[in-house]
Amino acid sequence: MSRPQATASGVEISATTTTKERLFAAVKAVRSHAMSSAVVDIVNAEKATSETTRAQYRRIIARRMKNGVPDLEGLSRSSWYPTRAALKVGLAERVRDAMKAQDKAQRGGDFETAERLVKVAAKAIEQLEALENAKAPPPEKVQNSARKRLPKARGDSWQAKVYDAATETMRPAIAVMWATGARPAEIGMGVDIERVKGGLRVRIPGAKVNDAKGSGQKVRVLLVNEDTPAGRALAESLGDASKITVKRKAARITKDFTDHIRPRLPASYQVSAYSFRHQAAANMKADLGDAEKVASAMGHRTTRSQQHYGTARQSQSAGGAVIDARATHQPKETRGIRISPPKKPESGPNLS
């Protein structure tokens, strides 16, 4: 009697066993393994996901399962999990499709083809189990955020240096970011500046608005003190006009910093456009003394979001330029934010 041999399905079959007998034994083993590996559950779960997620899975499978081999190499921890989920779907679908095809071949009497397809399914199950037991890469080393990279508070010096390093065409956008902390994408949409009684009124369209998730402000209006370094820079852009719109594409602003501004700054001032937003947040936390008002000025719908930005301890001695702010929605107090008592008396003129 010949010695038993292991098949891809994990079932030991004698070398003298007929193809039909080998097939039936392998099919039984594969179905058992498929049940324990939750193949059906994985496929059904994928069907319940959104079209966007399914499209993302298809792209990952095409890129990360070439030649039928799932590949998790070289992934960051954040991308490892969705990639593994997509590959599990791809392998589960391979098991399903191979078993359907083998059943058809078996019914047609083509046992050799059916046996080959069972081996394909068995191999996919092995790979699926290996994915399930795979270890995620360690967390990436957290890089210093723009908040942590802010130059130490030295009056208005670092923003003024950036402003001076910019060309005349770049300066209006720099002035808006300096005075209000507006996002580059919002400047790309167009920021309106108007001289009114009590200061400069700045209307900013929201770039990160999702009503379904209840995030972002469609529009916010800030009152800027013209008698501050940032306010004076903003007024310089306004010139003799009573109202202007500052508009510059976000990609262009980024290129302004990388190609023109940063090469002209000292090493200690290697800041980005978002550094202005972090510094403005820090100044507003110290100046306004009101978490909900800071949220309105930043374009947030909850006070929790501002915890990711500059702290009151990072505020500058010269203070910020924002006197008051109002937004489309009243921000919700979702977490206690440490806010300093206001340096300036509350004021709310001309925000309508």
Side-chain angles (χ1 to χ4, degrees), residues 177-240:
M177 292 188 293
W178 183 1
T180 69
R183 301 178 178 96
E186 292 167 339
I187 297 174
M189 298 166 70
V191 173
D192 297 329
I193 306 167
E194 183 179 8
R195 184 173 279 110
V196 296
K197 183 179 179 180
L200 301 174
R201 185 166 58 204
V202 184
R203 183 184 184 278
I204 304 172
K208 290 188 175 181
V209 181
N210 188 324
D211 288 330
K213 294 183 178 180
S215 61
Q217 298 281 5
K218 186 176 181 180
V219 176
R220 60 189 187 274
V221 180
L222 284 63
L223 186 66
V224 171
N225 182 359
E226 195 172 344
D227 193 26
T228 59
R232 286 191 288 271
L234 202 59
E236 185 177 293
S237 299
L238 195 60
D240 295 331

Side-chain angles (χ1 to χ4, degrees), residues 54-126:
R54 290 197 293 273
Q56 181 187 18
Y57 280 2
R58 298 276 82 78
R59 291 192 295 269
I60 292 174
I61 292 169
R63 187 171 64 250
R64 284 278 173 176
M65 205 155 72
K66 294 177 180 178
N67 301 319
V69 180
D71 178 19
L72 288 173
E73 292 298 320
L75 293 170
S76 65
R77 188 179 180 87
S78 59
S79 60
W80 187 87
Y81 287 100
T83 299
R84 184 180 70 159
L87 294 178
K88 286 172 65 176
V89 168
L91 290 170
E93 289 177 339
R94 182 179 295 171
V95 174
R96 177 200 62 191
D97 295 344
M99 292 304 288
K100 282 184 178 179
Q102 78 78 27
D103 186 61
K104 183 177 180 180
Q106 179 183 325
R107 290 175 183 276
D110 188 353
F111 296 113
E112 289 186 0
T113 297
E115 184 181 29
R116 177 179 58 78
L117 289 167
V118 169
K119 290 180 179 179
V120 170
K123 182 64 177 177
I125 290 175
E126 290 175 5

Side-chain angles (χ1 to χ4, degrees), residues 31-344:
R31 286 176 176 165
S32 175
H33 278 77
M35 288 288 290
S36 63
S37 298
V39 169
V40 175
D41 291 341
I42 293 172
V43 172
N44 288 339
E46 191 268 347
K47 290 179 180 177
T49 59
S50 66
E51 291 184 8
T52 301
T53 300
R54 290 197 293 273
Q56 181 187 18
Y57 280 2
R58 298 276 82 78
R59 291 192 295 269
I60 292 174
I61 292 169
R63 187 171 64 250
R64 284 278 173 176
M65 205 155 72
K66 294 177 180 178
N67 301 319
V69 180
D71 178 19
L72 288 173
E73 292 298 320
L75 293 170
S76 65
R77 188 179 180 87
S78 59
S79 60
W80 187 87
Y81 287 100
T83 299
R84 184 180 70 159
L87 294 178
K88 286 172 65 176
V89 168
L91 290 170
E93 289 177 339
R94 182 179 295 171
V95 174
R96 177 200 62 191
D97 295 344
M99 292 304 288
K100 282 184 178 179
Q102 78 78 27
D103 186 61
K104 183 177 180 180
Q106 179 183 325
R107 290 175 183 276
D110 188 353
F111 296 113
E112 289 186 0
T113 297
E115 184 181 29
R116 177 179 58 78
L117 289 167
V118 169
K119 290 180 179 179
V120 170
K123 182 64 177 177
I125 290 175
E126 290 175 5
Q127 293 171 327
L128 188 59
E129 291 173 345
L131 279 182
E132 191 64 42
N133 297 321
K135 300 291 184 182
E140 300 91 347
K141 183 178 179 181
V142 179
Q143 297 181 349
N144 287 335
S145 66
R147 174 177 66 181
K148 293 181 179 179
R149 290 198 305 269
L150 285 177
K152 292 181 180 179
R154 284 173 265 189
D156 65 311
S157 59
W158 79 257
Q159 295 105 314
K161 285 184 179 292
V162 172
Y163 186 79
D164 291 342
T167 65
E168 287 189 13
T169 56
M170 300 174 188
R171 285 181 178 176
I174 299 294
V176 171
M177 292 188 293
W178 183 1
T180 69
R183 301 178 178 96
E186 292 167 339
I187 297 174
M189 298 166 70
V191 173
D192 297 329
I193 306 167
E194 183 179 8
R195 184 173 279 110
V196 296
K197 183 179 179 180
L200 301 174
R201 185 166 58 204
V202 184
R203 183 184 184 278
I204 304 172
K208 290 188 175 181
V209 181
N210 188 324
D211 288 330
K213 294 183 178 180
S215 61
Q217 298 281 5
K218 186 176 181 180
V219 176
R220 60 189 187 274
V221 180
L222 284 63
L223 186 66
V224 171
N225 182 359
E226 195 172 344
D227 193 26
T228 59
R232 286 191 288 271
L234 202 59
E236 185 177 293
S237 299
L238 195 60
D240 295 331
S242 61
K243 184 177 181 180
I244 63 168
T245 297
V246 175
K247 190 172 184 179
R248 192 168 181 82
K249 291 183 179 179
R252 181 68 260 179
I253 293 173
T254 300
K255 197 170 180 62
D256 291 342
F257 274 84
T258 57
D259 294 356
H260 184 87
I261 295 173
R262 280 208 290 260
R264 290 166 172 77
L265 294 175
S268 59
Y269 288 89
Q270 294 304 296
V271 293
S272 68
Y274 255 77
S275 299
F276 282 89
R277 184 165 172 79
H278 283 273
Q279 188 66 70
N283 291 339
M284 285 188 280
K285 288 176 182 179
D287 295 346
L288 301 179
D290 184 332
E292 292 183 10
K293 193 170 291 186
V294 173
S296 291
M298 294 290 289
H300 298 152
R301 209 177 294 191
T302 66
T303 58
R304 181 177 182 176
S305 300
Q306 62 194 258
Q307 69 180 320
H308 303 294
Y309 290 85
T311 66
R313 291 182 179 179
Q314 292 174 301
S315 64
Q316 297 169 303
S317 59
V322 176
I323 301 171
D324 203 356
R326 193 179 70 188
T328 305
H329 301 278
Q330 175 66 29
K332 295 179 181 179
E333 183 74 43
T334 53
R335 178 174 293 189
I337 304 294
R338 186 175 295 176
I339 297 288
S340 299
K343 294 180 181 177
K344 303 173 184 176

